[in-house]
Amino acid sequence: MATVQNSNKNLKRDLSISLFIYALPVFAIYLYFKLSNNVVSESHIALPAFLEFAKPAFQNIRTWGLTVFMIVLGIIEFTAGLYDDEWTGEERKIDIVSFLAPKLILPAVISFFSLQVLPVLIPNLENALSWVPFWGGFFLIAVADDLTQYWYHRLHHQVPFLWRFHRTHHSAPYMGMAMLSRQNFIYTIFFSQIYLTATLTFLGLGLPALFVLVIKSIITLTAHSSIAWDKPFYKYKVLHPIAWVLERLISTPATHHAHHADTSGDGVGHFKGNFGNMFFIWDVIFGTGLITRQFPKSYGIKSYKQEEWYAQFLWPIFKSKKEGSALAEGVLSVPLKQTPVVENQPVLETVQS
C-alpha cells in the first residue's frame, strides 16, 4: 500500500514539474516579445541567415533522406553480421510490416487531422503563431513534442493495460535499424506528440517543426542502431567531458540499449526507465534514468514466444495462437507484484515498468 502511495506521489510531482517545463518556452517567447516592445523583428517564416543554407537539406532529409539513412545503416549492420541467427521467421515479418505500414498509414491520418479536423476544432487560427521567431518555435516544439512522447512512452511501461500496445517494440531480441519501427499499430496511430506537433504546425510553426523532427529522427535512429557511436567518447579521457554532457542531454546507444535489455538485474539493463526519445534529460529530471556506459548482453522480453507478426502488429484485433503468449486469448497484463493464480482465472503476464 505504501509503495502505491509513493508511486502516486511521485507521479503527481513529475506531472507538476512537466507543466512547469511546458510553460518555459511559452514564458521565454512572451518575455522576448515584451522586451522587444511588442515588435517582432524576426519570423519563423524567414529562417535566421545562418540556417538558410540548411533548409533544402532538412526538407529532403524529412521527405526521403531519413528512409535512405535508415536503409544504409541497416545494410551496414547486416554486413557486420549484427543480425546473425536473430532476424528470422516472425521477426523478419513484423519488422518489415512495422517499417512499411506507418509510411502508408500515418501521412493519410495526419493529413486528415490537419486539413479536416483542426479547422473545425480551432477555426480561424491557422498561422496564428506565425509571429513567433524561429528560435521560439524551435524551443516550443522541441520541448512539447519530446516531453509528451516521454510521458506517452513511460505510461505504456507503467500502466498494465497500455503495456501490450508497446511490448511489440520490446519483443525484438536485438537492437538495430530492423526493429526501430517495430510497434503495435495502435501505439503508432495514437502517438500523442504527432498530433500536438501537427497542431503547432497548423498554427504556423511548420519550419521550426521541420528542423526539430529531423534532428529528433537522427538521434532516435542512432540510439537504436547497433553501431555504438558513443563508445569512443567513453574510451578516450579527453572526450569524457563531452560524453558527460551528451549522455545526460540526448539518447545515446548505451542509455537506450539499456532500456531494451531483457533484465534489469545486472546493473546495466534498465527497462524500468531511460524512457527519453530525443532528450535523455527528462529521465535525469524525473529520476528514471540510469547511465552506466555499458551495453546489455541480451535484449527483448524473457517470456517472448515469437508470436505471429499479425498478433504483434494488430493485437487486440488478432490474438496469438502460441501457448503461453501474452497476446493470446484470455491473458491479462498486471503490475510486477502478482497475486497467486487461482484455478480457472485468466493467465497473468508481468508488465515491464
Side-chain angles (χ1 to χ4, degrees), residues 9 29 58 67 124 140 151 215 218 223 250 260 265 278 304 311 328 339:
K9 184 178 179 181
I29 294 168
F58 272 73
T67 300
N124 304 317
L140 176 63
W151 276 107
I215 294 171
I218 292 173
I250 65 172
H260 281 265
M278 174 167 63
Y304 180 49
T339 54

Side-chain angles (χ1 to χ4, degrees), residues 226-269:
S226 290
I227 301 171
W229 60 263
D230 52 341
K231 280 189 176 180
F233 290 93
Y234 311 142
K235 182 178 180 181
Y236 300 106
K237 193 171 182 179
V238 68
L239 297 177
H240 284 184
I242 299 175
W244 191 93
V245 174
L246 274 178
E247 64 193 0
R248 283 163 178 78
L249 179 62
I250 65 172
S251 289
T252 61
T255 55
H256 199 69
H257 280 222
H259 175 69
H260 281 265
D262 66 355
T263 180
S264 60
D266 58 359
V268 177

Side-chain angles (χ1 to χ4, degrees), residues 78-90:
F78 275 103
T79 303
L82 298 176
Y83 295 97
D84 286 354
D85 303 321
E86 295 282 8
W87 208 56
T88 58
E90 297 299 333

Side-chain angles (χ1 to χ4, degrees), residues 265-301:
D266 58 359
V268 177
H270 193 53
F271 56 74
K272 297 181 180 181
N274 291 18
F275 301 120
N277 293 276
M278 174 167 63
F279 293 127
F280 189 79
I281 196 170
W282 310 134
D283 288 287
V284 175
I285 292 172
F286 300 119
T288 55
L290 176 67
I291 299 174
T292 66
R293 298 185 176 181
Q294 299 179 57
F295 288 77
K297 293 180 180 179
S298 53
Y299 302 95
I301 304 171

Side-chain angles (χ1 to χ4, degrees), residues 208-222:
L210 169 68
F211 277 71
V212 169
L213 294 177
V214 168
I215 294 171
K216 178 175 181 175
S217 297
I218 292 173
I219 291 173
T220 54
L221 281 169
T222 55

